[in-house]
């Protein structure tokens, strides 16, 4: 956590700017909540080395870097500098010397200045292509150049936080943890709301690599730069925090013309959110569900002491009520839910939680004293009247007759029976209970959603019920018939899991279809219903040069059943390998997202996969399709 000069001052920092913002960290109390690193980004050095050594621009930094470091340390803060793993640092108005081929010398120089952190960039680095400023397809992996600086720093007798900034070219999550403390997952953030969407889509395959001492870096914060609304800043800060990205302020805290506004300062100072980021467990949140057409999504992850953090993002341009179904994040009940930005605490939360979320805002929740999804304790969920137990707020991910129910009760002293029915099926069926048993199981009909009710008649005291979703049936891409130019491709062993192949080149004209059998509760031939479907896909369409414009790191995939309107799912990146240095691997890494799809009928259903909305969005071609599981 700290402050960096780049987002607000670009490559034009100076001594006055650095000192005034460092002092502001202390004056505003930000150091007390964890912001300690003060990093001078690009623009501090001069074009050429002096006697072979890096040096600072004396016009902009008249006191010199050792003195500036001493000033920062005197405030109780830590001193960070920027350099580059190329022959020059990233493009500025004047050329700036880089560290390529001078790693040992520069590491010794940095330590002589008593630096505490080094942000190490990736420009002007590819010799084979003439050292261009930016090269998103270099001839060799950036890894060895960063490894050289790691080795150089290791020879010094000072701990230096090493921040690897190679823009996600060679999927650094696979190797950067061995070399440094943080790694940039992608290209620079830009001062626009769309950058949040683009960055989160790129963060998805990196999240599982976060751990104490190794952190995916989503780039510096735009909070306080007056380019986002306050709800947008809350979303930005919340997601960076729960994904365990370094929290580095990129705004002007205080200088000759600017000071941070009080609302942004309150966001940056929120100790609950900072606590999520700095949590000792060190595990990132993951994307759990995405409703593309409804414009919201859910992220969640574990915290220490058995707590859970969840974020529901409202991508829509209007304020509205949004509901978090706790089973979507693996929970059924929470003894306490703290709604961070609404500043509200709720007790005894069963199955779902609803709150109004601002346009582009976030519902950020801390859940405590939780119960795992599917377990309904009588004490929390049941009303009893004599021998009748009515369990309410029962959740089902799909409409099906194949949900399993386990009824847990006191040990039966003699043979008896239970009677059970659900709100979706009025038929009562009896379950025999042998003597000395403390549980029985059966099938149960439930409707997709969180408002099912289960009625049980029992002379034995019921402790709880466990509801289990149908296992579903898997349909690999090989069972789909491609049309147009869509085609089936085989992947190398161990990739495109679980099928080893995928359908590619899907768009509005090129599709794939198959027939799938389904059962509708009641077996009505005329009625239709919704089924939960999990789609396995691959997407490695990384926004490098397009990140400054409309690049989104996403692709679409659509599914339709029996000629119903196609449902669109805009999926994030799935690739956990580089396309450049592991050919095809990034496009062979599978990820999964679930979606509720309407139109299913009893018997044979025609299911079509494509990208029907492709012409209306950035990407005309969809994600590649590996297979799907239908929860029937």
């Amino acid at each position: 956590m700290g402050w960096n000069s780049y987002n607000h001052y670009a490559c034009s920092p100076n001594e006055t700017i650095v000192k005034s913002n460092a002092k502001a960290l202390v004056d505003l109390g930000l150091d007390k909540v964890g912001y300690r690193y003060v990093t001078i980004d690009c623009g501090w050095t001069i074009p050429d080395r002096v006697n072979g050594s890096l040096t600072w621009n004396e016009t902009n930094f008249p006191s010199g870097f050792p003195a500036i470091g001493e000033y920062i340390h005197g405030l109780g803060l830590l001193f960070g500098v920027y350099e580059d793993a190329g022959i020059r640092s990233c493009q500025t108005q004047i050329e700036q010397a880089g560290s390529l081929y001078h790693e040992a010398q520069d590491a010794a120089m940095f330590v002589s200045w008593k630096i505490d952190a080094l942000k190490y960039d990736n420009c002007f680095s590819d010799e084979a292509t003439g050292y261009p400023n930016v090269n998103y397809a270099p001839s060799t992996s950036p890894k060895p150049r960063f490894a050289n600086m790691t080795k150089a720093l290791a020879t010094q007798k000072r701990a230096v936080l090493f921040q690897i900034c190679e823009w996600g070219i060679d999927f650094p999550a696979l190797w950067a943890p061995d070399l440094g403390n943080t790694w940039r997952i992608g290209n620079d953030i830009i001062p626009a709301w769309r950058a949040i969407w683009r960055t989160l889509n790129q963060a998805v395959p990196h999240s599982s690599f976060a751990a104490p001492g190794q952190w995916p870096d989503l780039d510096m914060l735009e909070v306080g730069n007056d380019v986002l609304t306050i709800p947008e800043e809350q979303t930005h800060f919340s997601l960076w925090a729960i994904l365990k990205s370094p929290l580095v302020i990129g705004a002007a805290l205080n200088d000759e013309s600017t000071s941070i506004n009080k609302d942004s300062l309150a966001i940056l100072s929120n100790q609950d959110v900072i606590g999520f980021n700095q949590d000792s467990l060190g595990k990132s949140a993951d994307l759990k569900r995405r409703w593309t057409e409804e414009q919201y999504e859910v992220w969640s992850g574990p915290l220490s002491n058995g707590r859970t953090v969840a974020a529901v993002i409202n991508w829509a341009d209007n304020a509205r009520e949004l509901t978090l179904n706790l089973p979507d994040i693996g929970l059924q009940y929470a003894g306490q839910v703290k709604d961070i930005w609404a500043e509200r605490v709720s007790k005894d939360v069963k199955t779902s939680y609803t709150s109004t979320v601002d346009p582009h805002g976030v519902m950020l929740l801390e859940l405590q004293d939780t119960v795992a999804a599917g377990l309904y304790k009588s004490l929390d969920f049941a009303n009893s009247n004599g021998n009748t137990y009515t369990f309410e707020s029962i959740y089902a991910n799909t409409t099906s007759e194949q949900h399993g129910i386990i009824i847990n009760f006191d040990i039966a002293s003699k043979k008896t029976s239970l009677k059970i029915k659900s709100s979706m099926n009025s038929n009562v069926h009896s379950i025999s209970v042998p003597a000395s048993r403390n549980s029985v199981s059966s099938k149960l009909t439930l409707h997709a959603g969180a408002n099912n009710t289960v009625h049980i008649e029992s002379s034995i005291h019921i402790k709880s019920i466990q509801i289990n979703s149908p296992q579903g049936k898997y349909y690999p891409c090989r069972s789909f018939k491609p049309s147009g130019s869509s085609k089936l491709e085989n992947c190398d062993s161990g990739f495109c899991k679980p099928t080893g192949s995928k359908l590619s080149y899907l768009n509005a004209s090129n599709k794939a279809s198959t027939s799938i059998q389904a059962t509708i509760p009641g077996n009505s031939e005329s009625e239709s219903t919704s089924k939960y479907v999990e789609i396995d896909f691959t997407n490695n369409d990384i926004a490098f040069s397009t990140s400054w414009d409309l690049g989104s790191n996403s692709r679409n995939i659509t599914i339709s059943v029996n000629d119903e309107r196609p449902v669109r799912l805009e999926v994030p990146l799935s690739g956990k390998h580089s396309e450049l240095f592991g050919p095809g691997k990034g496009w062979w890494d599978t990820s999964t997202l679930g979606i509720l799809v309407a139109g299913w009928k009893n018997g044979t259903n025609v299911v079509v996969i494509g990208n029907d909305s492709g012409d209306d969005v950035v990407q005309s071609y969809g994600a590649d399709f590996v297979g799907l599981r239908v929860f029937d």
Side-chain angles (χ1 to χ4, degrees):
M1 295 175 64
W3 177 88
N4 181 291
S5 60
Y6 181 75
N7 279 11
H8 189 83
Y9 302 100
C11 291
S12 300
N14 61 47
E15 184 170 331
T16 301
I17 286 170
V18 172
K19 286 184 174 180
S20 63
N21 279 280
K23 186 173 185 299
L25 276 180
V26 176
D27 292 344
L28 296 171
L30 289 165
D31 61 324
K32 298 295 191 297
V33 295
Y35 297 94
R36 298 190 63 208
Y37 287 92
V38 176
T39 298
I40 304 173
D41 211 289
C42 57
W44 62 265
T45 187
I46 59 176
D48 299 312
R49 291 173 174 266
V50 176
N51 297 322
S53 298
L54 288 173
T55 192
W56 53 88
N57 183 316
E58 293 183 354
T59 301
N60 293 333
F61 298 94
S63 298
F65 266 38
I68 292 173
E70 185 176 344
Y71 175 83
I72 291 170
H73 289 145
L75 293 171
L77 303 173
L78 300 170
F79 178 32
V81 299
Y82 163 100
E83 245 305 327
D84 193 281
I87 59 171
R88 301 205 300 271
S89 64
C90 288
Q91 191 67 65
T92 60
Q93 293 179 349
I94 59 172
E95 293 183 0
Q96 308 274 303
S99 287
L100 185 60
Y101 312 127
H102 297 271
E103 291 85 358
Q105 180 182 4
D106 291 353
M109 179 69 74
F110 295 146
V111 168
S112 74
W113 298 343
K114 294 183 170 56
I115 73 161
D116 304 291
L118 173 63
K119 175 185 173 182
Y120 207 46
D121 217 337
N122 194 36
C123 293
F124 297 102
S125 57
D126 192 36
E127 180 181 11
T129 54
Y131 298 110
N133 177 29
V134 173
N135 187 349
Y136 297 123
S139 59
T140 59
S141 169
K143 177 182 176 181
R145 290 182 287 102
F146 288 90
N148 288 340
M149 182 55 80
T150 298
K151 294 174 184 176
L153 291 171
T155 65
Q156 304 300 312
K157 295 181 180 180
R158 185 176 181 85
V160 175
L161 184 80
F162 190 35
Q163 300 166 287
I164 293 171
C165 184
E166 63 87 80
W167 322 320
I169 287 174
D170 190 16
F171 198 74
L174 291 177
W175 51 266
D178 293 332
L179 302 182
N181 305 101
T182 71
W183 65 92
R184 273 277 296 280
I185 67 166
N187 221 326
D188 291 2
I189 194 171
I190 60 173
W193 169 240
R194 66 180 183 274
I196 308 304
W197 170 254
R198 183 251 292 174
T199 304
L200 291 179
N201 281 323
Q202 192 156 11
V204 171
H206 288 263
S207 62
S208 62
F209 293 89
Q214 56 182 65
W215 310 112
D217 182 356
L218 278 60
D219 205 3
M220 295 163 287
L221 296 163
E222 289 288 354
V223 177
N225 275 328
D226 298 327
V227 295
L228 303 174
T229 67
I230 293 303
E232 288 171 351
E233 289 192 343
Q234 290 173 340
T235 301
H236 175 22
F237 189 62
S238 298
L239 271 294
W240 264 234
I242 68 174
L243 268 71
K244 302 301 188 285
S245 175
L247 298 180
V248 180
I249 299 169
L253 297 174
N254 186 46
D255 60 26
E256 294 177 348
S257 61
T258 308
S259 60
I260 192 167
N261 69 77
K262 62 180 180 61
D263 291 329
S264 296
L265 178 61
I267 292 170
L268 292 169
S269 304
N270 189 291
Q271 294 189 51
D272 285 311
V273 186
I274 292 171
F276 300 152
N277 181 256
Q278 299 290 305
D279 184 72
S280 60
L281 196 62
K283 290 190 176 182
S284 171
D286 297 310
L287 177 63
K288 301 298 185 183
R289 291 288 302 272
R290 174 173 284 177
W291 291 264
T292 300
E293 295 175 328
E294 294 83 357
Q295 295 184 283
Y296 73 103
E297 66 190 42
V298 173
W299 294 72
S300 180
L303 298 171
S304 58
N305 300 319
R307 298 169 298 141
T308 298
V309 65
V312 183
I313 305 174
N314 179 17
W315 294 110
D317 296 334
N318 57 287
R320 54 186 175 153
E321 281 194 344
L322 291 176
T323 296
L324 170 67
N325 286 319
L326 270 60
D328 285 335
I329 61 171
L331 304 176
Q332 197 63 58
Y333 171 88
Q336 176 176 297
V337 173
K338 187 173 186 180
D339 193 329
I340 303 302
W341 300 117
E343 299 182 341
R344 180 173 62 245
V345 174
S346 300
K347 303 287 188 179
D348 195 33
V349 176
K350 306 168 186 176
T351 304
S352 59
Y353 177 86
T354 300
S355 185
T356 299
V357 185
D358 288 326
H360 301 176
V362 64
M363 179 201 305
L364 182 65
L365 308 175
E366 179 191 49
L367 301 97
Q368 300 184 47
D369 304 323
T370 57
V371 174
L375 180 60
Y376 300 81
K377 296 181 179 180
S378 298
L379 183 65
D380 299 321
F381 287 89
N383 296 313
S384 60
N385 183 8
N387 290 338
T388 301
Y389 292 78
T390 301
F391 286 83
E392 298 177 330
S393 301
I394 303 297
Y395 176 84
N397 65 349
T398 193
T399 301
S400 174
E401 298 175 335
Q402 298 301 312
H403 292 277
I405 180 171
I406 300 172
I407 305 170
N408 303 300
F409 42 77
D410 292 335
I411 294 176
S413 59
K414 61 181 180 179
K415 182 178 180 180
T416 185
S417 64
L418 306 174
K419 292 182 179 180
I420 182 172
K421 69 175 182 177
S422 72
S423 52
M424 190 174 178
N425 189 340
S426 59
N427 294 331
V428 178
H429 66 276
S430 296
I431 306 173
S432 177
V433 181
S436 302
R437 288 283 297 275
N438 62 359
S439 67
V440 291
S441 61
S442 181
K443 295 296 183 183
L444 190 66
T445 301
L446 296 174
H447 187 275
N451 297 313
N452 293 281
T453 303
V454 175
H455 304 275
I456 304 173
E457 291 185 18
S458 170
S459 60
I460 314 169
H461 175 253
I462 296 176
K463 295 179 177 179
S464 65
I465 62 174
Q466 175 76 40
I467 304 293
N468 298 316
S469 298
Q471 291 185 348
K473 183 176 180 180
Y474 195 79
Y475 298 87
C477 59
R478 291 187 300 273
S479 66
F480 284 72
K481 181 180 179 180
S483 66
S485 60
S486 62
K487 65 178 184 178
L488 184 68
E489 297 181 7
N490 292 321
C491 306
D492 280 1
S493 177
F495 290 95
C496 297
K497 295 178 180 179
T499 68
S501 56
K502 63 177 184 173
L503 280 164
S504 57
Y505 299 101
L506 297 167
N507 64 15
S509 302
N510 309 325
K511 304 179 183 182
S513 62
T514 194
S515 295
I516 293 178
Q517 296 295 312
T519 302
I520 305 303
N523 292 320
S524 172
E525 296 295 332
S526 60
E527 294 183 3
S528 65
T529 193
S530 298
K531 300 283 186 184
Y532 181 67
V533 177
E534 287 185 345
I535 299 175
D536 290 337
F537 62 89
T538 72
N539 170 32
N540 205 41
D541 191 3
I542 302 173
F544 285 127
S545 59
T546 60
S547 62
W548 316 109
D549 190 17
L550 296 177
S552 63
N553 291 310
S554 64
R555 282 203 176 187
N556 290 278
I557 194 165
T558 58
I559 177 172
S560 64
V561 178
N562 298 323
D563 292 325
E564 291 282 336
R565 184 184 66 83
V567 180
R568 180 168 68 96
L569 184 62
E570 190 167 357
V571 301
L573 295 179
S574 66
K576 294 185 177 182
H577 295 84
S578 168
E579 293 297 307
L580 295 172
F581 310 111
K585 287 183 178 179
W587 272 103
W588 292 344
D589 290 321
T590 304
S591 191
T592 305
L593 278 176
I595 188 170
L596 195 64
V597 182
W600 295 89
K601 295 182 178 180
N602 199 53
T604 302
N605 296 265
V606 177
V607 178
V608 179
I609 298 292
N611 183 26
D612 285 76
S613 57
D615 294 336
D616 299 325
V617 292
V618 175
Q619 302 291 350
S620 60
Y621 283 101
D624 291 350
F625 172 65
V626 175
L628 59 80
R629 183 177 298 277
V630 179
F631 291 78
D632 181 25

